[in-house]
Amino acid sequence: MRKKILLIIILISFGSYSQECDEKARIVFNNIISSISNNSIIEPRLKIEDINGPASFYQGNITIDRELINLFCDQKNFVDKISFVIAHELAHHFLQHNWKYNSGLAYIHDSLMGEEINIQDILESETQADFYAGFYGKISGYKTLEYAKETITIIYKKYNIKKELIGYPSFEDRLNII
Protein backbone atom coordinates (compact mmCIF):
# COMPACT_ATOMS: atom_id res chain seq x y z
CA MET A 1 0.00 0.00 0.00
CA ARG A 2 2.84 2.40 0.86
CA LYS A 3 4.48 1.69 -2.49
CA LYS A 4 1.26 2.57 -4.33
CA ILE A 5 0.88 5.82 -2.40
CA LEU A 6 4.52 6.72 -3.04
CA LEU A 7 4.10 5.97 -6.78
CA ILE A 8 0.99 8.18 -6.94
CA ILE A 9 2.82 11.03 -5.20
CA ILE A 10 5.77 10.72 -7.61
CA LEU A 11 3.50 10.69 -10.66
CA ILE A 12 1.54 13.72 -9.45
CA SER A 13 4.68 15.69 -8.63
CA PHE A 14 6.30 14.78 -11.98
CA GLY A 15 3.20 15.91 -13.83
CA SER A 16 3.16 19.29 -12.11
CA TYR A 17 6.95 19.61 -12.56
CA SER A 18 6.54 18.95 -16.29
CA GLN A 19 3.68 21.46 -16.50
CA GLU A 20 5.88 24.01 -14.73
CA CYS A 21 8.53 23.60 -17.42
CA ASP A 22 5.89 23.83 -20.16
CA GLU A 23 4.75 27.11 -18.64
CA LYS A 24 8.34 28.40 -18.43
CA ALA A 25 8.82 27.54 -22.13
CA ARG A 26 5.61 29.43 -22.98
CA ILE A 27 6.88 32.46 -21.05
CA VAL A 28 10.19 32.33 -22.97
CA PHE A 29 8.21 32.08 -26.23
CA ASN A 30 6.06 35.11 -25.34
CA ASN A 31 9.04 37.14 -24.13
CA ILE A 32 10.97 36.58 -27.36
CA ILE A 33 7.93 37.45 -29.48
CA SER A 34 7.41 40.62 -27.43
CA SER A 35 11.03 41.60 -28.02
CA ILE A 36 11.19 40.97 -31.78
CA SER A 37 7.69 41.25 -33.19
CA ASN A 38 6.57 44.39 -34.94
CA ASN A 39 3.02 43.07 -35.37
CA SER A 40 3.46 42.96 -39.15
CA ILE A 41 3.37 39.17 -39.15
CA ILE A 42 0.83 37.12 -37.22
CA GLU A 43 2.64 35.38 -34.40
CA PRO A 44 2.81 31.58 -34.45
CA ARG A 45 1.30 29.26 -31.87
CA LEU A 46 3.49 27.23 -29.53
CA LYS A 47 2.73 23.54 -29.12
CA ILE A 48 4.53 21.15 -26.80
CA GLU A 49 3.91 17.57 -27.81
CA ASP A 50 5.61 14.35 -28.85
CA ILE A 51 7.24 14.71 -32.27
CA ASN A 52 10.03 13.00 -34.20
CA GLY A 53 12.74 15.57 -33.54
CA PRO A 54 13.57 18.42 -31.20
CA ALA A 55 11.40 21.15 -32.77
CA SER A 56 9.64 22.22 -35.92
CA PHE A 57 7.87 25.12 -37.56
CA TYR A 58 4.98 24.30 -39.87
CA GLN A 59 1.74 26.04 -40.81
CA GLY A 60 1.95 28.71 -38.14
CA ASN A 61 2.85 26.32 -35.33
CA ILE A 62 6.12 26.03 -33.50
CA THR A 63 6.22 22.61 -31.94
CA ILE A 64 8.75 21.64 -29.29
CA ASP A 65 9.19 17.98 -28.47
CA ARG A 66 7.94 17.16 -24.98
CA GLU A 67 11.02 14.99 -24.39
CA LEU A 68 13.26 17.99 -25.10
CA ILE A 69 11.34 20.14 -22.62
CA ASN A 70 11.66 17.38 -20.01
CA LEU A 71 15.37 16.89 -20.78
CA PHE A 72 16.22 20.57 -20.35
CA CYS A 73 13.78 20.97 -17.47
CA ASP A 74 16.07 18.84 -15.31
CA GLN A 75 19.07 21.01 -16.12
CA LYS A 76 20.37 24.28 -14.78
CA ASN A 77 19.53 27.32 -16.94
CA PHE A 78 16.45 25.73 -18.53
CA VAL A 79 15.09 29.03 -19.89
CA ASP A 80 18.42 30.01 -21.46
CA LYS A 81 18.75 26.65 -23.22
CA ILE A 82 15.16 26.42 -24.41
CA SER A 83 15.36 30.04 -25.58
CA PHE A 84 17.82 28.97 -28.30
CA VAL A 85 15.44 26.30 -29.62
CA ILE A 86 12.40 28.59 -29.51
CA ALA A 87 14.26 31.57 -30.99
CA HIS A 88 15.60 29.38 -33.83
CA GLU A 89 12.06 28.37 -34.80
CA LEU A 90 10.79 31.94 -34.36
CA ALA A 91 13.55 33.11 -36.72
CA HIS A 92 12.15 30.79 -39.39
CA HIS A 93 8.73 32.33 -38.79
CA PHE A 94 9.67 36.02 -38.69
CA LEU A 95 12.14 35.70 -41.57
CA GLN A 96 9.34 33.88 -43.47
CA HIS A 97 11.52 30.91 -44.39
CA ASN A 98 8.65 28.45 -44.61
CA TRP A 99 6.27 30.21 -46.96
CA LYS A 100 6.86 27.66 -49.76
CA TYR A 101 6.71 24.67 -47.44
CA ASN A 102 3.60 25.89 -45.64
CA SER A 103 1.85 26.18 -48.98
CA GLY A 104 2.25 22.43 -49.52
CA LEU A 105 5.09 22.66 -52.02
CA ALA A 106 7.75 19.98 -51.96
CA TYR A 107 11.41 20.59 -51.20
CA ILE A 108 12.60 19.24 -54.53
CA HIS A 109 10.30 20.88 -57.05
CA ASP A 110 8.05 23.91 -56.74
CA SER A 111 5.37 23.18 -59.34
CA LEU A 112 3.46 26.44 -58.86
CA MET A 113 6.53 28.59 -59.31
CA GLY A 114 8.09 26.22 -61.86
CA GLU A 115 11.47 26.21 -60.16
CA GLU A 116 13.74 23.85 -58.36
CA ILE A 117 14.14 24.61 -54.67
CA ASN A 118 17.82 24.92 -54.09
CA ILE A 119 19.32 23.02 -51.16
CA GLN A 120 21.57 26.06 -50.74
CA ASP A 121 18.43 28.14 -49.97
CA ILE A 122 17.48 25.72 -47.21
CA LEU A 123 21.04 25.80 -45.85
CA GLU A 124 20.93 29.59 -45.85
CA SER A 125 17.61 29.57 -43.97
CA GLU A 126 18.98 27.24 -41.31
CA THR A 127 22.14 29.31 -40.95
CA GLN A 128 20.07 32.49 -40.57
CA ALA A 129 17.82 30.80 -38.00
CA ASP A 130 20.84 29.86 -35.86
CA PHE A 131 22.29 33.36 -36.18
CA TYR A 132 19.04 35.13 -35.36
CA ALA A 133 18.29 32.71 -32.50
CA GLY A 134 21.25 34.10 -30.61
CA PHE A 135 20.23 37.67 -31.36
CA TYR A 136 16.54 37.17 -30.52
CA GLY A 137 17.36 35.39 -27.27
CA LYS A 138 19.88 38.04 -26.24
CA ILE A 139 17.55 41.02 -26.80
CA SER A 140 14.87 39.15 -24.87
CA GLY A 141 17.08 38.96 -21.80
CA TYR A 142 18.21 35.33 -21.99
CA LYS A 143 21.76 33.96 -21.91
CA THR A 144 20.99 32.17 -25.16
CA LEU A 145 24.45 32.45 -26.68
CA GLU A 146 26.16 31.47 -23.45
CA TYR A 147 24.31 28.11 -23.48
CA ALA A 148 23.72 27.63 -27.24
CA LYS A 149 26.72 25.34 -27.87
CA GLU A 150 25.77 23.13 -24.94
CA THR A 151 22.14 23.13 -26.13
CA ILE A 152 23.07 22.11 -29.68
CA THR A 153 25.42 19.40 -28.37
CA ILE A 154 22.72 17.95 -26.12
CA ILE A 155 20.17 18.00 -28.95
CA TYR A 156 22.49 16.25 -31.41
CA LYS A 157 23.28 13.56 -28.83
CA LYS A 158 19.70 13.08 -27.60
CA TYR A 159 18.20 12.81 -31.09
CA ASN A 160 21.17 10.99 -32.62
CA ILE A 161 21.52 13.66 -35.32
CA LYS A 162 24.30 13.18 -37.86
CA LYS A 163 27.02 15.85 -37.75
CA GLU A 164 26.51 16.43 -41.50
CA LEU A 165 22.96 16.77 -42.88
CA ILE A 166 21.90 17.98 -46.30
CA GLY A 167 20.26 21.38 -45.99
CA TYR A 168 21.73 22.16 -42.57
CA PRO A 169 25.02 23.69 -41.52
CA SER A 170 27.38 21.00 -40.23
CA PHE A 171 27.55 20.54 -36.47
CA GLU A 172 30.92 22.36 -36.46
CA ASP A 173 29.54 25.19 -38.59
CA ARG A 174 26.62 25.59 -36.20
CA LEU A 175 29.02 25.89 -33.27
CA ASN A 176 30.97 28.50 -35.25
CA ILE A 177 27.78 30.46 -36.02
CA ILE A 178 27.12 30.63 -32.29
Side-chain angles (χ1 to χ4, degrees):
M1 182 66 151
R2 284 183 169 180
K3 288 182 182 180
K4 286 182 182 180
I5 292 172
L6 181 60
L7 180 61
I8 290 170
I9 291 171
I10 290 171
L11 290 174
I12 289 170
S13 64
F14 179 75
S16 64
Y17 181 68
S18 179
Q19 288 174 346
E20 181 180 313
C21 292
D22 288 4
E23 185 56 31
K24 285 181 184 178
R26 291 182 196 293
I27 290 168
V28 170
F29 176 82
N30 290 327
N31 287 343
I32 295 172
I33 285 178
S34 294
S35 296
I36 64 173
S37 177
N38 63 8
N39 295 321
S40 65
I41 299 174
I42 297 171
E43 64 188 54
R45 292 170 302 282
L46 177 65
K47 298 166 103 181
I48 299 171
E49 55 189 45
D50 296 329
I51 58 173
N52 291 329
S56 69
F57 172 63
Y58 183 70
Q59 294 184 335
N61 294 308
I62 290 176
T63 307
I64 308 294
D65 187 33
R66 177 160 305 287
E67 282 189 51
L68 185 66
I69 295 286
N70 291 340
L71 175 67
F72 287 142
C73 190
D74 291 337
Q75 297 180 12
K76 189 175 180 182
N77 299 95
F78 168 76
V79 296
D80 299 311
K81 292 173 184 173
I82 205 66
S83 71
F84 181 79
V85 176
I86 291 171
H88 174 97
E89 298 305 326
L90 283 170
H92 284 309
H93 175 75
F94 285 104
L95 297 172
Q96 298 183 351
H97 288 158
N98 284 359
W99 75 269
K100 286 185 180 183
Y101 316 124
N102 288 338
S103 66
L105 302 174
Y107 282 149
I108 302 304
H109 184 70
D110 179 340
S111 61
L112 292 179
M113 302 301 256
E115 64 186 44
E116 294 286 323
I117 297 175
N118 190 333
I119 294 296
Q120 189 62 33
D121 291 342
I122 298 168
L123 175 62
E124 185 177 316
S125 293
E126 291 300 330
T127 301
Q128 287 177 345
D130 278 353
F131 177 79
Y132 278 86
F135 175 71
Y136 290 166
K138 178 79 170 167
I139 66 171
S140 302
Y142 298 104
K143 298 175 186 171
T144 306
L145 289 173
E146 190 175 322
Y147 292 95
K149 288 182 180 182
E150 181 182 351
T151 300
I152 290 267
T153 302
I154 291 168
I155 288 171
Y156 269 69
K157 184 176 180 181
K158 165 71 176 157
Y159 292 91
N160 198 27
I161 298 172
K162 294 178 184 176
K163 303 272 179 162
E164 301 279 337
L165 288 174
I166 295 174
Y168 284 82
S170 70
F171 177 76
E172 291 302 319
D173 287 345
R174 293 185 88 176
L175 294 180
N176 288 332
I177 291 167
I178 294 164

